[in-house]
Amino acid sequence: ANSNRSSPVNVAGLSGAVAVAAGSNHSLALKSDGTVWAWGYNVYGMLGDGTMTDRSTPVMVSGLSGVLAIAAGCYHSLALKPDGTVWAWGWGGFGAIGDGTETTRTTPVQVGNLPGASGITGGFFRSLARTSDGALRSWGYGAYGALGNGASSNALLPVAVSSLNDVSQVAANNFGNHSLARKNTGSVWAW
């Protein structure tokens, strides 16, 4: 149903979830079998079912299995597989998908130039990935220094976040341009 709720309701047709993620108007769930399910607003294909049709109940994201982690950006979605590859779908403007284009994708495509990812997060038309060596890479909307690479231009493929390593956690604002990283030492860095 398309009704506002002032108290929690169970998401229909979804069980066995091990992780969830929220975009601006869409939701994702990772099930224990490694499949990804999505529902909500889909005008840019961020539900990953090959359509741009809004869904009030979860649909399985096409062509993804064995997923380890999920994340959602403003109008795009991300999945991390155990082999360290990252997959993205949804609105491609500013390079948010990270496949070297600004093309909107209604099904997942592999993010390029990204070796050995171990963590992902989505943000405002941009994404970040932590690599297995604790470094960070970012791509998409770069205004105001949002990508952390010392520039203010967009990146269609992942670029290195300057001077950060030994990162254990990263977070990005879904409606703004700042990001945070926590290092294994406990220090917090922002840009």
Side-chain angles (χ1 to χ4, degrees):
N2 293 326
S3 303
N4 294 331
R5 305 291 186 180
S6 59
S7 59
V9 295
N10 191 21
V11 175
L14 187 64
S15 61
V18 295
V20 293
S24 62
N25 295 94
H26 73 291
S27 302
L28 302 172
L30 172 61
K31 292 181 69 169
S32 57
D33 64 3
T35 59
V36 179
W37 296 73
W39 64 101
Y41 190 53
N42 196 29
V43 70
Y44 300 114
M46 56 275 212
L47 301 187
D49 66 346
T51 76
M52 292 186 178
T53 303
D54 296 347
R55 306 291 183 179
S56 59
T57 57
V59 293
M60 188 167 70
V61 175
S62 300
L64 271 185
S65 61
V67 171
L68 186 63
I70 54 173
C74 189
Y75 294 131
H76 66 287
S77 303
L78 302 159
L80 171 64
K81 297 187 86 172
D83 63 0
T85 59
V86 176
W87 298 76
W89 60 99
W91 192 66
F94 306 120
I97 300 300
D99 65 346
T101 75
E102 292 190 74
T103 304
T104 292
R105 306 290 186 179
T106 61
T107 57
V109 295
Q110 187 174 345
V111 174
N113 192 32
L114 188 58
S118 61
I120 51 174
T121 192
F124 185 68
F125 308 132
R126 70 187 191 288
S127 303
L128 295 106
R130 183 171 37 91
T131 58
S132 55
D133 61 0
L136 284 180
R137 291 185 181 252
S138 59
W139 62 95
Y141 189 62
Y144 310 105
L147 298 182
N149 65 337
S152 291
S153 56
N154 302 330
L156 304 184
L157 289 167
V159 295
V161 174
S162 303
S163 305
L164 271 183
N165 52 36
D166 200 29
V167 171
S168 57
Q169 183 181 7
V170 64
N173 187 330
N174 227 343
F175 289 103
N177 300 302
H178 77 281
S179 300
L180 300 167
R182 181 176 60 87
K183 296 180 79 168
N184 286 323
T185 60
S187 63
V188 176
W189 298 71
W191 63 96

